[in-house]
Amino acid sequence: MSKKLLMAAAAAKEEHQVEIILLRNWIEGDADAAEDHLSSAGDQSRSYKKKRTSRESMIRKVTVAYGIVELLVRCPTNNVLLDDDAKIGIDNFAVCVSKKTDRLSSQQQQSLSSWDDIKGVRMVSSGLSLSIEEPSYLSCLFEKGGEEEDQMGRYLEVELDAANALVGITKTDCRGNTEGKEISKFRCHYLLAKILYQLFTNNDDRFPDGNHHQGDDDEPAHKKAKKAQLLEKEGGFPYYECVSDLSSITAVSGMQQLEVPASICRMMQNLFESASESGGDAYKTLEEVGKDLHLLLFDPDRFLFDREAGRTDNVQLLFRKEKQYGRDKEETLITDTFCRVTRGRSEAFFIGGFSGSGKSMLVDTLRVNVKNVGGYVIKHKFDAMSQDRPLSGVISALNQLCLMIKKRLSPRRLAELSEKLKDDFGDDIGLLARMLPSISLLSPECSRLSVGVDDGNTCTSDKMNPRSVSFTLLRFVRLVSSPKHPIMLFLDDLQWADDAALDMVRTFLSDTMGSCMFFVGTYRDNEVQVGHALFDLMENLEISNVPTNKVSLTGLDQASLNEMISDALCLYPRICKSLSDIVFQKTKGNPFFVLEFMQSLQSRGLLQYDPCLKRWVWNEDTIRAEEITGNVLHLLSSKMNQLPNDMQLLLKVMACFGTSTKESVIGYLEESSEYSEVRNGLEGAISDGFVAVYAEGYIKFVHDKVREAAYNLIPDGDKKQLHYSLGKTLYSICEGKDVGNTIFLIASQINHGKEFIEKDDALRIPVAKLNMKAGKMALDGCDHKMAYSYFLASESLLPDDSWESCYDLSLLVHLLMARAANSSCRYDEAELTLYKICKRARCLQDKLPAYFLLVTIFLAQGNPVDAYTTCSSILAQLGETVPDVVTVEMVGCIIPETLSMYSRVYSDDWLEKNMKDPKLCNIVKFYSVIGIAAYFCKPTHSPAYFVCKMVQMSLRNGVCQHTPLALMQLSTMVIQINNAASVHRIAKNALVLSEKFGTSDQKICINYYLVAGHLEPYLSGSNHLRKGFASGLSGGDSNTAFFCAGHGVYFSILSGDKDLTSLLKEIDYYLLLLETYKNELAKKFLLCYRETVATLIDRGETTGIDAKLSYADAYDLGPGNKLLEVLYFQEVFRNYWLGYTERCHHYALKSLDISKQENFFIYNMKFYHALNLLDMIKKKTNYAKTLEVVEIIESMKIVASNAETNFRNKLELLEAEHYGLTAYRESAVTLRAYDTAIASARKAGFVHEQGLACEKAGFYAKRLKDNDRSLTYFNQALECYKKWGSSVKVGFIEKELGKLNV
């Protein structure tokens, strides 16, 4: 509705009045108003105004007719007896219109004379009154944002008025001579037709008289007999209903001459057919008439108004291709699901159904809603022709997301996002840029950081795998999605997706750390078999507690199909019903099949538009007798076989490429002589509805079945040849050009014709290089599976003597193929290829990359023995001597020697000196992995020997990219309380070198925080370790990632930097991931931490899980292992906080027994051990432990001097507690000591230890009988524990406060 109409409506509502006009007078007035309106128009606007005025007048009249019919329908239920012709006559009805007042402007007055000013209809004789209005909640649906002058359709509702008294109209007595008997429905239909005739023609001169044939002697005998039966049935009621066909034709003809729309004339004809019982499309009830009138008002352009003259030569079926028929329930379900996602939790929605059942259309109904709430819709359609690269499709969809974000965000918000990306990804931002090139639009620095696969010695992707790719993209999704900006990922045709793509979906949806995604997947349920990866995805999502919805679309029911055909034919649904039933039988209600079947009927002349009748006509018997296959492909193929050759060529070419084709590819083909006319058929293919052109430069088939039909145009024996021809043509045209991702298309097309390549020796090497180039590009984009397929194709095309005739190419192809196989989890294929390289390569230098990757695979598969043996052999060949057994004495000598050498050689200049000899670099490289292997399969002291060898070589010959890790590992091995400062310097140097070489090896991060994590603030350490976890998973190093995760959680427990509930959620997230990554050792550490956190929250009452760590799990690893140390410390920690002094003491002794080394880790345990000893002393249970407490305090002073932030508050709290016992009379000194400890804990950010210091101070003040001071301290402790999230401690303090208040 336009703004001026809304203004007028508001003004009318303010007056609370309508004007009531007798129907006969209103008809005359409406005609006069229309004439006056036209007379005021100028010559230029007269034609438009005539059309506009005529349409407005027609809408008003149909609205009045609708009101009259609805009144007549309601008469029986409101005790109004229609017992006389006069009651269904023009003079028994009045029209209610918006009343004009002086308060309205002339413009508003004109608006109220418009097409929507009818407010109701009233029956004069009975006083029955009906309001006509458009529901307010629907009015917005018919506004399109601007003033649509020609928009008239609307959804009307009617309601009987509560008060039926007529204002200004005298109620008349219309009693007849029928003694209270109601007239028949046939007579009623006749009388209604008469009213409509008068309404739409403004006269009744040609209307047939109902009494005309009452005594006609020529009337057929069967009609006279029927009259007699009806007369007897109705008790002798006079029969007036018969109207001759001739008279009705005359009336309808008169209406047509007056340019009354054909839809109204058809309604009149059907009323006459009903009155005369002459069959045809006769109305059965008045309700049917009301439905038809309502439809005319709802969509007048389609159903009411005639087609304009000159537009009937090539009339097309007007299918509503954007409308979903019969899917209201499914639309509601998918909309409700999305609404839940906007509250912050990801969900999945799967839609199954046959091809053409409307799956994609159902999803499209949600697009506008997603955009309206600020969300993003990204889509990928899997393709039967591109099943070898499904993962790249999902990545491509996320690449589109970058473009959407760029367009939508303001420069300020874009800059904020860029900073978030750099902060979250750090060095991994280049890795993200490799996968999503468009990320450079959001953060320009990304483009220069992306790393490609430049040559065979590049090892960037050695550890990358589908999981690491998925996790990297998940990190991006977390940053850009939120409840306010959810992402809707729509993947179409999942039956062609593989496990890699579906695993990525699972990674996105099962995330519990901040992403907000609505996943919608559609699939052909008749084309997925048991065991398909799709069903595994559904099952895994349910296991991960991801809300999952499933619907299956079948064919439309008969009512919905009838509505669809009614819309297409622009005819009343009741008239189309018989045709719809036939179509339903032949198509089973499949929407796409219906569309194609109807169009085939039209193209074959079985469905024709009659310009005289102004409607579509058909012969039901002919259509019913049509032989038709149940497959829509038959219809499409038959149609395509009739197309011109140029259109068929285009469709065949596009079908070879898949569901979509870049316009640039068509352009390349045009440059060839063989396909120079390929574009000629494009315009026809578009106009015939086979393909559509999209703004992003793609030409797409409108439906999968269209592509299948086009592909079937190619004889089976010629398909490979055509693929090969297309690929070869594109290759010859594009050779030497930068065609981007089109290289995948070219290589894939040629590979279809491998049998033709093998016959042409001149092409084998060029095509092998083409496939290698495509594989490197796929590897560069982290699509390892696709890369492997191209490298495999390249290898298969190499000649039999390739290791002699094209050695360099063969070596490079095999090495790249092994890397791609390893990254796509094809470990057996990778090993076989690497062994082949090691056997066929000419020299050790060429074999080294293969050996190094082989060792990496051994370690990843848990085979450290083979890794150690292989490294030992290679180092020997490189001239190094690796002892058969590394003794403790050897390690005892080499460590001091290395540290001494470091102190002599180290300087700033040394950090800048690079190792230039490739042989030496390789030696250090293999020492780095033999050290890792030794950690798992040799005595615990062994790795130190190899680390020292790496450091010594770097000190002598310069640094390389493996030096940082060696330095960090050295510092980890030698750090003690008394050498912390010097070892910390070594660790710092390792970080400097790591930045120099641009390495993001998370082992460096882990080792740094093993060394310096206790020296620098725990808060900083936990944040860096969380980033290390993310970087480790992104880089494919899951072992390192979960090591980071475990240490990050440990630091959070020590520092209290996260509230316990959030920390528990983080731990559960790691445990969920471990269900996939299967790292049992990491799981044991995390279960140990989880038990501590859950216990501190609520003693595990609501936060516990079934899986718990037992001591047997720790002992299985042998005495002195790190897990047992962690387990004992966690027992000390949680038992102290729970107040279990004896248990705490028991586990502290066990921890001291196995932890001989004086490292920082043990001093966290000693802090709680000392506090517990002091509590035992206060309880008078262990006075002998006072000396041990003093010793711990003295050693803690040294620790605090090295790690001020982490240990100063601990030292001060121990001193305060000790003063409270030994200097009882010096209360002021003790209270100051507590206040100092509280301030230090607050400064360090240790909210739990701040609360602990407040709690201890409160108890001390309580002992002094200083209740006010005690209340203050306890209230401070309460606030700290609330922030920490420990219900256990909150409850404890609340009890103490309760005692003090009493």
Side-chain angles (χ1 to χ4, degrees):
M1 294 172 64
S2 64
K3 293 180 180 178
K4 61 185 181 182
L5 288 177
L6 291 172
M7 291 169 57
K13 184 177 181 181
E14 185 179 340
E15 288 296 314
H16 296 292
Q17 290 183 358
V18 294
E19 185 176 359
I20 303 171
I21 308 171
L22 286 172
L23 178 57
R24 187 181 296 277
N25 296 338
W26 181 84
I27 294 171
E28 294 174 355
D30 187 73
D32 294 340
E35 189 62 35
D36 292 343
H37 189 59
L38 278 177
S39 63
S40 64
D43 292 339
Q44 292 183 346
S45 63
R46 186 173 181 83
S47 175
Y48 168 76
K49 282 201 170 184
K50 180 179 179 181
K51 175 184 174 183
R52 173 77 185 179
T53 302
S54 174
R55 290 166 72 92
E56 287 182 352
S57 176
M58 186 56 59
I59 289 285
R60 288 195 296 273
K61 290 176 179 178
V62 174
T63 304
V64 171
Y66 176 56
I68 292 172
V69 172
E70 290 298 323
L71 264 180
L72 293 175
V73 168
R74 285 161 174 74
C75 282
T77 57
N78 286 274
N79 298 318
V80 176
L81 189 64
L82 299 176
D83 54 0
D84 190 272
D85 287 3
K87 290 187 178 181
I88 312 179
I90 191 171
D91 295 319
N92 192 34
F93 292 95
V95 181
C96 306
V97 299
S98 300
K99 185 176 182 180
K100 301 176 184 179
T101 69
D102 295 336
R103 295 180 61 181
L104 298 178
S105 66
S106 59
Q107 186 178 15
Q108 291 172 340
Q109 296 276 12
Q110 184 178 2
S111 298
L112 286 177
S113 299
S114 186
W115 53 273
D116 62 344
D117 71 332
I118 308 299
K119 302 303 177 185
V121 176
R122 300 191 178 188
M123 183 178 283
V124 177
S125 62
S126 65
L128 204 62
S129 176
L130 198 73
S131 295
I132 302 175
E133 60 182 16
E134 181 179 32
S136 59
Y137 65 87
L138 286 177
S139 60
C140 63
L141 298 179
F142 299 98
E143 298 175 36
K144 298 181 180 177
E147 270 188 54
E148 302 265 345
E149 293 292 343
D150 295 326
Q151 182 187 338
M152 295 183 181
R154 57 184 187 154
Y155 187 94
L156 296 180
E157 287 186 353
V158 293
E159 183 178 356
L160 282 173
D161 292 340
N164 288 318
L166 293 175
V167 181
I169 301 293
T170 303
K171 194 171 180 178
T172 60
D173 185 4
C174 295
R175 288 174 295 179
N177 300 318
T178 58
E179 300 178 359
K181 293 181 179 179
E182 191 170 28
I183 60 179
S184 72
K185 73 171 184 178
F186 306 109
R187 183 65 179 171
C188 183
H189 289 181
Y190 164 75
L191 294 172
L192 174 61
K194 185 173 183 179
I195 295 175
L196 297 184
Y197 183 85
Q198 293 168 312
L199 175 63
F200 288 105
T201 65
N202 197 21
N203 68 77
D204 55 3
D205 294 342
R206 295 189 181 183
F207 194 78
D209 186 355
N211 298 313
H212 181 70
H213 290 282
Q214 187 176 358
D216 194 339
D217 293 334
D218 296 331
E219 186 175 15
H222 72 277
K223 284 198 174 184
K224 289 183 179 181
K226 195 166 187 178
K227 280 185 186 181
Q229 292 175 3
L230 187 61
L231 186 63
E232 181 179 356
K233 179 179 179 182
E234 299 193 357
F237 187 82
Y239 186 83
Y240 299 110
E241 283 80 357
C242 291
V243 180
S244 71
D245 291 341
L246 180 61
S247 59
S248 65
I249 291 173
T250 301
V252 173
S253 176
M255 296 179 75
Q256 291 173 341
Q257 291 175 14
L258 293 172
E259 297 185 348
V260 176
S263 57
I264 300 298
C265 296
R266 196 168 298 118
M267 179 178 289
M268 290 291 295
Q269 180 64 38
N270 296 160
L271 284 169
F272 284 136
E273 290 169 348
S274 174
S276 63
E277 297 184 274
S278 58
D281 295 316
Y283 284 107
K284 296 180 177 62
T285 63
L286 285 176
E287 284 85 351
E288 288 185 345
V289 184
K291 288 180 180 179
D292 285 354
L293 288 166
H294 191 273
L295 187 64
L296 297 181
L297 291 169
F298 180 72
D299 193 350
D301 284 333
R302 182 177 295 268
F303 291 102
L304 175 57
F305 300 122
D306 295 336
R307 296 177 186 269
E308 294 184 16
R311 295 187 179 181
T312 59
D313 295 337
N314 186 26
V315 178
Q316 298 297 317
L317 296 168
L318 296 181
F319 281 103
R320 295 183 191 265
K321 295 185 179 180
E322 76 289 349
K323 181 176 178 180
Q324 276 280 75
Y325 294 91
R327 307 297 190 202
D328 294 342
K329 179 180 177 181
E330 290 82 1
E331 281 191 47
T332 301
L333 183 59
I334 194 173
T335 302
D336 290 347
T337 304
F338 172 70
C339 290
R340 291 196 298 272
V341 172
T342 59
R343 298 170 196 155
R345 184 173 184 184
S346 298
E347 290 200 28
F349 198 98
F350 293 93
I351 307 172
F354 281 61
S355 177
S357 58
K359 302 183 294 295
S360 300
M361 284 187 62
L362 175 60
V363 181
D364 286 340
T365 61
L366 194 61
R367 283 176 174 264
V368 174
N369 292 337
V370 176
K371 293 178 181 178
N372 286 344
V373 300
Y376 302 97
V377 180
I378 55 177
K379 174 183 178 181
H380 174 67
K381 184 178 180 66
F382 292 106
D383 190 340
M385 302 300 295
S386 307
Q387 294 186 59
D388 56 339
R389 49 183 192 273
L391 191 59
S392 62
V394 184
I395 295 174
S396 175
L398 290 171
N399 209 40
Q400 298 168 21
L401 179 61
C402 298
L403 301 175
M404 296 178 188
I405 295 172
K406 168 70 174 179
K407 292 178 182 178
R408 190 175 298 183
L409 294 189
S410 64
R412 180 182 63 82
R413 291 184 61 196
L414 205 58
E416 291 173 355
L417 177 59
S418 178
E419 288 301 314
K420 284 183 180 179
L421 285 167
K422 287 186 284 186
D423 179 63
D424 185 85
F425 278 88
D427 292 337
D428 294 336
I429 196 72
L431 189 63
L432 179 65
R434 286 176 54 194
M435 302 176 194
L436 305 178
S438 295
I439 197 72
S440 60
L441 298 173
L442 308 181
S443 184
E445 294 183 12
C446 295
S447 57
R448 65 179 178 81
L449 293 172
S450 61
V451 181
V453 182
D454 299 322
D455 55 57
N457 293 319
T458 304
C459 58
T460 309
S461 299
D462 281 356
K463 294 181 181 178
M464 292 292 292
N465 54 56
R467 286 177 184 168
S468 61
V469 172
S470 298
F471 185 79
T472 304
L473 295 175
L474 171 62
R475 294 168 66 186
F476 171 69
V477 169
R478 285 177 184 167
L479 286 177
V480 299
S481 67
S482 67
K484 291 185 178 179
H485 303 288
I487 294 173
M488 174 176 159
L489 173 61
F490 172 30
L491 298 182
D492 198 4
D493 284 331
L494 289 175
Q495 72 273 4
W496 290 319
D498 74 341
D499 52 357
L502 298 180
D503 280 346
M504 181 177 287
V505 172
R506 181 194 177 190
T507 299
F508 292 160
L509 295 178
S510 59
D511 178 52
T512 59
M513 302 302 289
S515 59
C516 187
M517 176 175 285
F518 180 39
F519 170 72
V520 182
T522 63
Y523 61 98
R524 300 181 188 176
D525 48 15
N526 61 313
E527 295 185 23
V528 288
Q529 307 300 323
V530 175
H532 192 282
L534 174 60
F535 298 120
D536 292 335
L537 171 63
M538 294 178 182
E539 182 180 352
N540 288 329
L541 290 177
E542 292 177 357
I543 292 173
S544 301
N545 296 317
V546 177
T548 303
N549 306 271
K550 304 169 192 172
V551 298
S552 182
L553 301 186
T554 57
L556 302 180
D557 58 38
Q558 288 176 285
S560 300
L561 178 57
N562 188 39
E563 182 186 358
M564 178 182 180
I565 292 179
S566 168
D567 285 349
L569 299 179
C570 306
L571 280 174
Y572 302 126
R574 59 185 178 80
I575 295 178
C576 304
K577 181 67 169 60
S578 57
L579 175 62
S580 298
D581 289 344
I582 299 172
V583 175
F584 180 82
Q585 292 171 6
K586 294 186 176 292
T587 64
K588 306 307 179 187
N590 183 290
F592 184 70
F593 198 172
V594 170
L595 187 148
E596 292 300 324
F597 180 59
M598 292 290 289
Q599 289 178 340
S600 74
L601 293 178
Q602 179 194 1
S603 65
R604 289 180 290 151
L606 300 179
L607 181 65
Q608 296 181 333
Y609 184 79
D610 189 326
C612 296
L613 296 178
K614 297 182 180 179
R615 60 161 284 184
W616 291 91
V617 294
W618 59 87
N619 186 300
E620 291 177 10
D621 293 335
T622 305
I623 295 175
R624 188 178 287 109
E626 273 290 295
E627 293 285 342
I628 180 170
T629 175
N631 191 341
V632 70
L633 285 176
H634 173 78
L635 289 175
L636 289 167
S637 297
S638 299
K639 186 176 181 180
M640 289 180 180
N641 281 321
Q642 309 303 317
L643 297 176
N645 290 336
D646 56 355
M647 284 178 63
Q648 288 197 31
L649 175 62
L650 175 78
L651 295 175
K652 290 176 183 178
V653 167
M654 287 185 57
C656 287
F657 296 151
T659 55
S660 64
T661 304
K662 288 183 179 180
E663 283 195 83
S664 58
V665 173
I666 301 298
Y668 293 142
L669 289 173
E670 279 186 298
E671 298 178 25
S672 69
S673 58
E674 188 175 358
Y675 300 100
S676 59
E677 299 181 357
V678 67
R679 192 184 289 272
N680 295 350
L682 180 58
E683 185 176 345
I686 294 172
S687 63
D688 282 4
F690 294 118
V691 302
V693 179
Y694 290 80
E696 59 266 30
Y698 281 89
I699 308 170
K700 300 182 181 181
F701 284 104
V702 297
H703 196 275
D704 294 337
K705 287 298 181 184
V706 178
R707 192 210 68 81
E708 288 182 48
Y711 197 60
N712 286 343
L713 290 175
I714 311 168
D716 290 341
D718 296 343
K719 287 177 179 176
K720 288 184 178 180
Q721 178 65 55
L722 181 55
H723 281 291
Y724 176 66
S725 171
L726 289 168
K728 188 177 176 181
T729 301
L730 287 170
Y731 175 70
S732 63
I733 293 171
C734 299
E735 189 176 11
K737 297 179 181 177
D738 182 9
V739 294
N741 288 343
T742 302
I743 191 173
F744 299 138
L745 177 70
I746 298 172
S748 296
Q749 292 299 309
I750 291 181
N751 291 343
H752 271 89
K754 183 180 176 182
E755 60 192 68
F756 303 109
I757 307 172
E758 292 173 343
K759 297 176 182 178
D760 190 344
D761 291 337
L763 268 179
R764 291 175 70 105
I765 296 300
V767 175
K769 290 181 178 179
L770 171 69
N771 274 283
M772 185 183 72
K773 184 178 180 182
K776 289 174 69 174
M777 184 173 288
L779 204 59
D780 195 34
C782 298
D783 194 337
H784 307 102
K785 182 177 180 180
M786 180 168 68
Y788 179 74
S789 69
Y790 285 121
F791 290 137
L792 192 62
S794 177
E795 189 266 348
S796 69
L797 293 172
L798 295 175
D800 295 337
D801 63 343
S802 62
W803 288 98
E804 288 76 31
S805 61
C806 48
Y807 174 80
D808 290 339
L809 176 63
S810 184
L811 178 65
L812 182 54
V813 168
H814 282 85
L815 183 59
L816 290 172
M817 185 168 69
R819 286 183 173 155
N822 175 49
S823 295
S824 55
C825 304
R826 292 179 170 86
Y827 302 117
D828 291 341
E829 291 92 331
E831 286 188 36
L832 288 174
T833 305
L834 291 170
Y835 282 129
K836 188 174 182 179
I837 295 173
C838 295
K839 180 180 179 180
R840 303 298 298 272
R842 292 174 179 172
C843 61
L844 178 62
Q845 185 66 30
D846 290 347
K847 296 177 182 180
L848 290 177
Y851 277 121
F852 187 79
L853 181 54
L854 190 61
V855 169
T856 303
I857 293 174
F858 287 153
L859 289 173
Q861 292 181 320
N863 186 4
V865 174
D866 284 349
Y868 186 94
T869 302
T870 304
C871 287
S872 180
S873 173
I874 297 302
L875 286 168
Q877 294 180 60
L878 289 169
E880 291 293 301
T881 301
V882 179
D884 294 333
V885 178
V886 177
T887 64
V888 175
E889 290 75 20
M890 293 170 65
V891 174
C893 293
I894 199 170
I895 288 179
E897 178 185 317
T898 305
L899 291 175
S900 174
M901 185 177 177
Y902 189 90
S903 63
R904 294 195 310 271
V905 175
Y906 170 74
S907 67
D908 292 337
D909 292 340
W910 174 72
L911 294 176
E912 299 300 322
K913 180 184 177 182
N914 291 337
M915 188 179 292
K916 298 180 180 179
D917 187 343
K919 179 181 177 180
L920 293 176
C921 290
N922 278 313
I923 291 173
V924 175
K925 183 177 180 179
F926 277 92
Y927 268 132
S928 70
V929 287
I930 197 173
I932 297 172
Y935 181 85
F936 291 103
C937 67
K938 296 296 180 181
T940 55
H941 59 270
S942 301
Y945 176 84
F946 300 109
V947 169
C948 289
K949 294 288 287 186
M950 293 168 64
V951 173
Q952 289 185 9
M953 289 190 68
S954 297
L955 289 169
R956 294 191 190 98
N957 305 290
V959 296
C960 65
Q961 61 179 345
H962 302 286
T963 303
L965 180 58
L967 290 176
M968 199 66 78
Q969 289 173 330
L970 176 65
S971 58
T972 303
M973 294 170 179
V974 301
I975 189 167
Q976 298 286 332
I977 298 299
N978 54 9
N979 69 356
S982 59
V983 175
H984 190 201
R985 186 189 69 178
I986 298 175
K988 283 280 190 182
N989 292 338
L991 286 182
V992 172
L993 287 176
S994 178
E995 292 179 5
K996 171 183 176 179
F997 289 107
T999 58
S1000 58
D1001 192 336
Q1002 292 313 307
K1003 290 187 178 68
I1004 296 174
C1005 175
I1006 286 181
N1007 281 276
Y1008 179 75
Y1009 285 102
L1010 286 176
V1011 176
H1014 298 278
L1015 303 180
E1016 296 189 357
Y1018 285 140
L1019 177 60
S1020 173
S1022 62
N1023 288 335
H1024 278 86
L1025 285 164
R1026 287 187 182 96
K1027 291 181 179 179
F1029 162 76
S1031 185
L1033 280 194
S1034 290
D1037 190 349
S1038 61
N1039 290 331
T1040 302
F1042 285 107
F1043 205 82
C1044 281
H1047 275 73
V1049 170
Y1050 167 63
F1051 278 6
S1052 288
I1053 290 174
L1054 292 179
S1055 66
D1057 66 331
K1058 295 185 76 170
D1059 68 272
L1060 293 172
T1061 302
S1062 298
L1063 186 57
L1064 184 70
K1065 181 180 178 182
E1066 180 181 343
I1067 296 171
D1068 283 343
Y1069 170 66
Y1070 295 144
L1071 289 171
L1072 178 64
L1073 289 179
L1074 284 169
E1075 294 298 318
T1076 300
Y1077 286 91
K1078 308 298 183 186
N1079 187 321
E1080 289 301 317
L1081 183 60
K1083 183 178 180 180
K1084 289 175 181 179
F1085 276 100
L1086 288 167
L1087 282 173
C1088 181
Y1089 297 140
R1090 192 191 192 283
E1091 187 174 353
T1092 295
V1093 175
T1095 300
L1096 291 173
I1097 292 175
D1098 59 1
R1099 299 181 188 271
E1101 291 178 2
T1102 61
T1103 55
I1105 58 174
D1106 293 335
K1108 290 188 178 181
L1109 183 70
S1110 68
Y1111 295 110
D1113 293 324
Y1115 281 124
D1116 285 344
L1117 299 178
N1121 66 76
K1122 290 296 181 183
L1123 179 58
L1124 199 58
E1125 288 185 26
V1126 168
L1127 189 148
Y1128 285 152
F1129 170 70
Q1130 294 302 311
E1131 288 283 8
V1132 170
F1133 185 83
R1134 59 175 168 261
N1135 280 300
Y1136 178 78
W1137 282 102
L1138 293 175
Y1140 301 151
T1141 54
E1142 293 299 331
R1143 289 187 193 174
C1144 179
H1145 184 63
H1146 171 75
Y1147 286 110
L1149 294 178
K1150 284 184 171 291
S1151 180
L1152 290 171
D1153 185 52
I1154 66 171
S1155 302
K1156 302 299 183 183
Q1157 190 176 8
E1158 286 292 298
N1159 56 31
F1160 289 92
F1161 172 86
I1162 199 65
Y1163 275 91
N1164 278 292
M1165 191 281 300
K1166 285 187 174 183
F1167 166 64
Y1168 287 102
H1169 175 47
L1171 284 177
N1172 191 61
L1173 289 175
L1174 288 165
D1175 287 343
M1176 294 173 74
I1177 295 170
K1178 291 175 191 175
K1179 295 177 182 179
K1180 301 179 181 180
T1181 60
N1182 205 331
Y1183 288 107
K1185 293 297 181 181
T1186 304
L1187 181 60
E1188 185 178 353
V1189 171
V1190 172
E1191 291 176 352
I1192 292 174
I1193 290 174
E1194 290 303 314
S1195 60
M1196 190 72 77
K1197 291 178 181 179
I1198 301 173
V1199 176
S1201 67
N1202 285 292
E1204 182 80 15
T1205 301
N1206 295 333
F1207 288 94
R1208 176 59 58 185
N1209 72 296
K1210 295 176 176 62
L1211 170 63
E1212 291 169 349
L1213 181 55
L1214 287 176
E1215 290 178 331
E1217 282 283 273
H1218 190 246
Y1219 289 153
L1221 285 177
T1222 60
Y1224 185 73
R1225 295 172 183 251
E1226 299 179 21
S1227 59
V1229 175
T1230 303
L1231 288 171
R1232 281 197 300 272
Y1234 279 120
D1235 288 339
T1236 301
I1238 292 169
S1240 294
R1242 183 187 303 112
K1243 181 180 178 180
F1246 298 165
V1247 67
H1248 61 316
E1249 291 181 357
Q1250 179 187 342
L1252 179 62
C1254 291
E1255 177 189 334
K1256 295 295 185 183
F1259 279 113
Y1260 180 74
K1262 185 178 179 180
R1263 294 207 310 273
L1264 296 176
K1265 309 299 184 184
D1266 189 347
N1267 286 356
D1268 290 340
R1269 193 186 298 271
S1270 181
L1271 279 171
T1272 300
Y1273 281 129
F1274 280 143
N1275 278 313
Q1276 290 176 3
L1278 183 65
E1279 291 304 310
C1280 290
Y1281 290 148
K1282 284 181 178 178
K1283 289 181 181 178
W1284 191 30
S1286 174
S1287 299
V1288 172
K1289 294 302 295 182
V1290 167
F1292 175 76
I1293 296 297
E1294 286 176 342
K1295 286 182 180 179
E1296 293 300 324
L1297 287 170
K1299 294 175 185 177
L1300 288 173
N1301 289 328
V1302 171

